[in-house]
Amino acid sequence: MEGPVTALSVVTSRDFADAHGLVMHAYNPPNTDSLVDHLGLHKALCVLMGWDYTKVPENSKGYQSLPADLVRESREDLIVWPPTVIIHNTATGRKKDGRFEGLGNKDMDKKMTELGFSGGKSKSLYGKEGHLGLTLIKFANNPAGLKEAERLAEFLERQDHGRIGWSRARATHSIDSFQNPLLVETDTRTGERMRILYGYLAIASDLDELDSDSRKRAFLKSRREFDLSD
């Protein structure tokens, strides 16, 4: 399906026995007025489950068989909209009360500008224990915004600070995070210890990392819609 895949605010009050029942409902909506949203929901569900959304789900569950490489390709194609880069490791320490503190929105905006990336707006996430060490960088909901978001994600990936790099760093959780060389580095010029930023473009499978407000406002779109070659 071309165009917006689905608004996450699409809600149905019906109960379904399983995911297949929901997929069937989404593929065969009760009225044509909701056809676009339902087909978008159908595609999003199939992508998240690792199923083939191009196969008609009627009368069979054959669409639920999809090679692993195609599952990965489909999931990477479906991105969070507006374009969002998830940045990890933005906590900076603990306050006297034990709560975590970290880079705030203004500090992250300044950091992005220093790195040469413009147009994004930072949203630092907080929980009961303070700063979560997680910041969302949201870009404009147009091709230019997506291009800038992908440029940031590619910049981090080239430094091995992308999705795989973060998984590797996170696996060393037994080491004190403020002494871990995968999480903290020393500026050779100033001697200042700084957090190493990791990040990647948010895709459908990253929705749980967003805060509830961002999830409510988010859409999912296919990267194939856009020609960013220029």
Side-chain angles (χ1 to χ4, degrees):
M1 181 183 122
E2 300 296 326
V5 176
T6 184
L8 296 185
S9 57
V10 172
V11 177
T12 176
S13 60
R14 294 183 55 179
D15 293 324
F16 301 93
D18 53 24
H20 174 67
L22 181 55
V23 166
M24 289 288 290
H25 166 76
Y27 194 81
N28 300 283
N31 58 72
T32 57
D33 291 340
S34 61
L35 179 62
V36 173
D37 282 340
H38 275 76
L39 289 179
L41 177 61
H42 161 259
K43 179 176 180 178
L45 285 168
C46 286
V47 169
L48 289 170
M49 297 295 292
W51 298 340
D52 187 351
Y53 62 83
T54 65
K55 290 185 178 180
V56 178
E58 296 173 345
N59 306 321
S60 170
K61 293 186 179 181
Y63 69 96
Q64 294 183 7
S65 176
L66 193 65
D69 58 334
L70 294 182
V71 170
R72 183 177 62 256
E73 182 179 318
S74 293
R75 287 178 175 168
E76 291 177 353
D77 173 63
L78 204 58
I79 61 174
V80 172
W81 197 262
T84 301
V85 175
I86 299 175
I87 303 291
H88 289 276
N89 198 34
T90 56
T92 57
R94 286 183 182 268
K95 299 179 180 180
K96 291 182 179 180
D97 62 4
R99 290 169 57 82
F100 285 102
E101 57 185 350
L103 296 173
N105 297 340
K106 290 183 179 180
D107 288 335
M108 279 300 297
D109 285 343
K110 181 180 178 181
K111 181 70 173 177
M112 290 298 105
T113 300
E114 291 173 350
L115 291 174
F117 299 95
S118 60
K121 298 296 293 183
S122 302
K123 183 176 185 179
S124 300
L125 303 190
Y126 295 83
K128 293 181 179 179
E129 296 186 9
H131 200 292
L132 296 176
L134 183 65
T135 302
L136 308 179
I137 311 293
K138 299 182 180 182
F139 293 85
N141 58 345
N142 55 41
L146 175 57
K147 192 169 186 177
E148 190 70 357
E150 291 197 321
R151 194 169 73 88
L152 173 56
E154 289 166 1
F155 168 79
L156 293 167
E157 182 63 39
R158 286 196 300 271
Q159 300 179 74
D160 198 22
H161 294 163
R163 190 181 296 274
I164 295 176
W166 173 241
S167 295
R168 186 182 302 115
R170 189 170 51 182
T172 62
H173 60 82
S174 59
I175 302 174
D176 181 351
S177 67
F178 300 106
Q179 301 298 323
N180 189 337
L182 291 179
L183 300 178
V184 179
E185 63 183 354
T186 301
D187 188 313
T188 55
R189 182 174 58 85
T190 65
E192 179 185 2
R193 290 176 63 74
M194 303 177 299
R195 305 296 289 192
I196 299 171
L197 301 183
Y198 292 81
Y200 41 83
L201 186 68
I203 58 178
S205 57
D206 297 320
L207 286 171
D208 285 345
E209 297 194 59
L210 275 59
D211 59 296
S212 59
D213 183 63
S214 295
R215 283 197 298 270
K216 289 177 183 177
R217 297 174 183 273
F219 285 72
L220 297 178
K221 279 196 174 187
S222 170
R223 294 167 91 165
R224 297 190 183 101
E225 292 180 48
F226 305 96
D227 179 6
L228 303 179
S229 57
D230 295 334

